């Protein structure tokens, strides 16, 4: 009975941790639409507000590892929950732009620490044959959180100061997570042997065979300094290579940018109605949910290596297909920003901050019958787009382009006038309509990419990272790799438009395909299979192997 309770509570903590992360990613999309008029935000201020979360998360990546290792995983989650509650209250009660920035920075710090601590804590709490399922549950929670935030964006879109409710509702799942973890046992880090670990509840769900093996060969807890990550001691350098390789390839295969074209591709295959953008977000969200559930089911059966390699192969084929088809049916690009100039500024079809390149009207004009206003009072175009993508995609969390809210605001602002500016080719000359078969191939390729990422790199990267390091340095090692994840994401996002200008859209995606092939080779050569093994067995396997 106690084992079942611990299992359920571990699953709850993992799911709620992911849900909060996803919710905070998605909610800014709707809030920013109201904030830019309520606070008369310029493009620069919008960029600052969106990137505040990134600053907080980067700080957490640098400092959070020490907190997790020195004070324990459970305490780190409790502290991050309290910090998140404070951040949510600050945002809910904010009366100035400065307070908003402080609130978002606080939230960014909290969810970054929580994301690292949850994965490590759950991986250590459960038996080897359940670890893949429960750690992957975090990824499923993120997807649900993103979709939930989009639904609430839509509900509160027309409510005066609706953004306060959007930010405030994060308090509910945070409080639930805080209460759930209070009932879980403390996860001791510094214990001398497996035998005492079992007695003190570190691994309460391990079966009898595990305990018998543990008593026969006591596992000595070792102490490590941060610099040991780069030394040959216990083969730590190879573990660091595996961790960094996974997080860097996760970004360099193009996932921060591919979803930016979702609305564009949905429009290209004929979804021209008012509900088209909602279809794009919900449709891709549903695909991601299903794929993540498949990954959860297979993580402990097929294994981490198999899912990572299979996902990479499909991703490489998908982006290569998108690259080849776009050579025959190129996409237009829009790269401007029009800030709201006052409380009466038209919202129109506002660029969604988490949907980097693609307000609907910049893609494919809506037929006159729908009365579309081609206005783009969008959040900061370049840095905002890049920085939000950095945040939105970090930890492998893709953000499906939202449009339920932009669509609703669009209908409210129909009677107002606006201008559409674009540096791309004239919209009327868009060649997409002439390539129906290619359009559908591109659409299916993108859905395949989302599915493959959600089965492979999405959940598996963080599962492997929570397994391959010794307990004494696991928190710092995880945080170190996580900071590279953010940095790579920033690099990919900031250089994306410049690279497209330099080498073209199709070559950019063909380059992503090449990176996917290299990722398969890297995983085959360096990443070990860890399914069905206890964390101590994985550690001993790494220590022995050169």
């Amino acid at each position: 009975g106690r084992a079942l309770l611990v299992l359920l509570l571990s699953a709850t903590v993992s799911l709620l941790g992911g849900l909060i992360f996803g919710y905070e990613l998605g909610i800014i999309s709707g809030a920013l639409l109201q904030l830019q008029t309520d606070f008369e935000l310029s493009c620069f201020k919008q960029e600052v507000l969106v990137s505040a979360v990134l600053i907080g998360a980067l700080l957490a990546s640098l400092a959070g590892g020490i907190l997790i290792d020195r004070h324990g995983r459970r305490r780190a989650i409790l502290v991050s929950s309290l910090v998140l509650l404070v951040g949510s209250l600050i945002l809910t009660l904010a009366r100035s732009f400065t307070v908003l920035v402080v609130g978002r920075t606080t939230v960014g710090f909290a969810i970054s620490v929580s994301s690292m601590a949850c994965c490590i804590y759950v991986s250590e709490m459960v038996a080897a044959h359940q670890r893949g399922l429960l750690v992957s549950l975090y990824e499923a929670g993120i997807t649900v959180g993103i979709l939930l935030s989009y639904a609430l964006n839509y509900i509160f879109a027309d409510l005066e100061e609706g953004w306060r409710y959007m930010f405030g509702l994060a308090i509910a799942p945070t409080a639930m997570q805080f209460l759930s973890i209070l009932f879980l046992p403390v996860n001791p880090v510094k214990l001398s042997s497996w035998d005492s670990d079992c007695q003190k509840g570190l691994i309460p769900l391990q079966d009898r065979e595990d305990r018998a093996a543990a008593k026969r060969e006591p596992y000595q807890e070792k102490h490590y300094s941060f610099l040991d990550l780069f030394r040959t001691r216990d083969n730590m350098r190879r573990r660091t290579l595996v961790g960094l390789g996974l997080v860097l390839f996760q970004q360099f295969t193009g996932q921060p940018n591919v979803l930016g074209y979702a609305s564009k591709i949905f429009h290209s295959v004929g979804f021209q109605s008012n509900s088209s953008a909602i279809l794009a977000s919900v449709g891709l969200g549903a695909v991601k949910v299903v794929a993540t559930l498949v990954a959860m089911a297979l993580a402990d059966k097929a294994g981490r290596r198999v899912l990572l390699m299979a996902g990479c192969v499909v991703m490489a084929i998908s982006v290569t297909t998108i690259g080849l088809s776009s050579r025959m049916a190129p996409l237009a690009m829009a790269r401007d920003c029009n800030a709201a100039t006052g409380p009466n500024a038209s919202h129109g079809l506002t660029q969604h901050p988490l949907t980097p390149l693609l307000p609907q009207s910049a893609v494919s004009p809506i037929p006159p019958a729908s009365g579309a206003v081609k206005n783009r009072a969008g959040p900061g175009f370049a840095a905002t787009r890049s920085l939000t993508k950095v945040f939105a995609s970090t930890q492998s969390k893709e953000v499906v382009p939202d449009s339920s809210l932009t669509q609703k605001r669009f209908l409210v602002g129909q009677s107002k006038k606006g201008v559409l500016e674009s540096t791309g080719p004239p919209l009327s000359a868009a060649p997409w309509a002439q390539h129906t078969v290619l359009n559908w191939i591109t659409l299916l390729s993108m859905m395949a990419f989302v599915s493959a990422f959600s089965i492979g790199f999405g959940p598996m990267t963080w599962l492997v990272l929570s397994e391959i390091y010794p307990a004494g340095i696991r928190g710092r090692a995880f945080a170190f790799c996580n900071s590279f994840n953010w940095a790579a994401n920033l690099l990919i996002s900031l250089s994306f438009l410049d690279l497209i200008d330099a080498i073209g859209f199709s070559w950019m995606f063909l380059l992503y395909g090449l990176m996917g092939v290299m990722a398969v080779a890297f995983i085959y050569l360096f990443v070990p299979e860890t399914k069905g093994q206890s964390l101590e067995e994985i550690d001993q396997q790494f220590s022995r192997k050169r």
Side-chain angles (χ1 to χ4, degrees):
R2 180 175 176 274
L4 180 63
L5 177 65
V6 171
L7 180 66
L8 290 173
L9 286 173
S10 297
T12 303
V13 167
S14 186
L15 185 65
L16 285 174
L19 188 140
I20 295 161
F21 194 106
Y23 182 83
E24 292 291 356
L25 292 182
I27 206 66
I28 189 65
S29 62
L32 200 56
L33 294 175
Q34 295 187 349
L35 290 170
Q36 68 182 6
T37 49
D38 289 356
F39 289 86
E40 299 185 23
L41 300 182
S42 64
C43 286
F44 175 72
K45 284 188 173 180
Q46 292 172 49
E47 290 164 7
V48 170
L49 183 58
V50 171
S51 59
V53 182
L54 171 64
I55 294 164
L58 278 172
L59 288 172
S61 292
L62 298 173
I66 298 168
L67 170 67
I68 293 167
D69 277 343
R70 287 196 181 163
H71 300 287
R73 292 77 161 112
R74 180 174 176 269
R75 191 172 294 172
I77 299 173
L78 288 170
V79 169
S80 69
S81 296
L82 289 173
V83 172
L84 187 57
L85 286 171
V86 171
S88 298
L89 282 171
I90 291 172
L91 287 167
T92 307
L93 304 173
R95 294 283 172 191
S96 70
F97 171 72
T98 308
V99 175
L100 283 171
V101 172
V102 170
R104 286 300 282 175
T105 306
T106 307
V107 164
F109 185 93
I111 63 175
S112 185
V113 170
S114 174
S115 67
M116 296 184 290
C118 278
C119 289
I120 294 172
Y121 183 76
V122 173
S123 74
E124 292 175 343
M125 284 301 301
V126 298
H129 65 277
Q130 295 164 324
R131 194 167 57 239
L133 172 70
L134 289 181
V135 176
S136 301
L137 195 60
Y138 187 89
E139 181 82 4
I142 286 162
T143 314
V144 173
I146 290 169
L147 293 179
L148 175 65
S149 72
Y150 287 159
L152 292 174
N153 279 348
Y154 189 82
I155 291 167
F156 293 119
D158 299 325
L159 199 64
E160 188 175 349
E161 294 197 333
W163 55 270
R164 294 190 188 278
Y165 297 96
M166 296 178 195
F167 288 137
L169 282 171
I171 291 172
T174 306
M176 286 172 64
Q177 186 190 38
F178 184 86
L179 292 173
S180 298
I181 201 151
L182 285 177
F183 293 99
L184 278 169
V186 175
N187 197 355
V189 177
K190 299 172 182 175
L191 292 172
S192 59
S193 73
W194 259 59
D195 195 20
S196 57
D197 285 0
C198 293
Q199 289 171 359
K200 295 191 181 183
L202 171 62
I203 34 180
L205 305 182
Q206 299 281 3
D207 54 31
R208 289 179 183 177
E209 291 81 0
D210 286 340
R211 294 189 182 204
K215 288 177 182 177
R216 283 196 302 274
E217 184 185 352
Y219 175 75
Q220 295 299 320
E221 181 66 53
K222 297 177 184 176
H223 300 279
Y224 296 89
S225 72
F226 178 75
L227 291 177
D228 284 330
L229 285 174
F230 312 102
R231 293 176 179 146
T232 53
R233 177 193 175 189
D234 291 336
N235 224 359
M236 291 297 291
R237 192 182 293 164
R238 178 168 177 259
R239 304 186 206 215
T240 304
L241 171 69
V242 171
L244 289 181
L246 284 174
V247 297
L248 292 175
F249 275 118
Q250 184 191 73
Q251 301 304 324
F252 290 143
T253 45
Q255 73 94 9
N257 299 318
V258 169
L259 285 183
Y261 292 94
S263 282
K264 198 166 286 196
I265 293 169
F266 268 81
H267 275 281
S268 74
V269 296
F271 294 102
Q272 299 285 338
S273 70
N274 283 344
S275 61
S276 60
I278 301 173
L279 251 166
S281 56
V282 174
L284 278 179
V287 167
K288 183 168 165 51
V289 169
V290 171
T292 307
L293 293 175
V294 171
M296 286 169 56
L298 295 178
D300 292 313
K301 294 185 176 122
R304 287 63 154 153
R305 262 170 69 89
V306 172
L307 291 182
L308 278 167
M309 285 196 286
C312 278
V313 168
V314 176
M315 285 167 67
I317 294 170
S318 303
V319 288
T320 303
T321 305
I322 293 173
L324 292 173
S325 61
S326 68
R327 288 186 71 78
M328 293 172 268
L331 290 111
M333 301 285 290
R335 354 180 358 160
D336 58 323
C337 165
N338 300 317
T341 52
N344 297 319
S346 169
H347 291 289
L349 265 174
T350 310
Q351 178 178 345
H352 178 311
L354 297 179
T355 310
L357 302 169
L358 63 209
Q360 243 171 197
S361 50
V363 179
S364 160
I366 296 176
S370 71
V373 182
K374 296 173 189 169
N375 175 352
R376 215 148 76 74
F381 104 86
T384 309
R385 187 203 61 249
S386 302
L387 290 169
T388 19
K389 279 197 300 185
V390 172
F391 180 60
S393 330
T394 194
Q395 294 251 51
S396 82
K397 323 316 185 210
E398 307 130 299
V399 173
V400 284
D402 158 44
S403 299
S404 53
L405 175 64
T406 51
Q407 196 62 49
K408 194 166 182 179
R409 286 235 162 210
F410 156 77
L411 293 172
V412 172
Q414 264 185 341
S415 61
K416 300 173 184 176
K417 295 183 180 178
V419 216
L420 174 70
E421 298 173 3
S422 171
T423 58
L427 294 175
S428 57
W432 281 93
Q434 304 158 19
H435 299 279
T436 309
V437 175
L438 284 173
N439 296 344
W440 281 100
I441 289 173
T442 305
L443 172 63
L444 293 173
S445 296
M446 198 183 67
M447 295 181 86
F449 182 92
V450 172
S451 303
F453 187 88
S454 299
I455 286 173
F457 267 138
M460 294 306 124
T461 297
W462 308 106
L463 175 56
V464 172
L465 278 179
S466 67
E467 294 174 328
I468 63 174
Y469 293 103
I473 197 173
R474 195 170 287 139
R476 283 165 290 170
F478 199 103
F480 175 71
C481 293
N482 197 23
S483 63
F484 270 81
N485 181 60
W486 289 82
N489 204 311
L490 178 62
L491 176 66
I492 291 290
S493 302
L494 288 176
S495 62
F496 185 59
L497 281 184
D498 294 325
L499 277 171
I500 283 184
D501 288 343
I503 65 175
F505 177 88
S506 57
W507 284 109
M508 187 75 245
F509 274 67
L510 291 173
L511 186 61
Y512 288 152
L514 176 63
M515 295 304 295
V517 173
M518 292 171 65
V520 173
F522 173 82
I523 292 162
Y524 180 78
L525 292 172
F526 294 105
V527 180
E529 182 53 74
T530 56
K531 73 167 180 177
Q533 299 179 55
S534 70
L535 297 177
E536 287 70 21
E537 287 171 334
I538 296 167
D539 184 30
Q540 289 168 5
Q541 175 189 327
F542 260 104
S543 297
R544 287 193 302 267
K545 194 178 289 183
R546 286 289 167 191

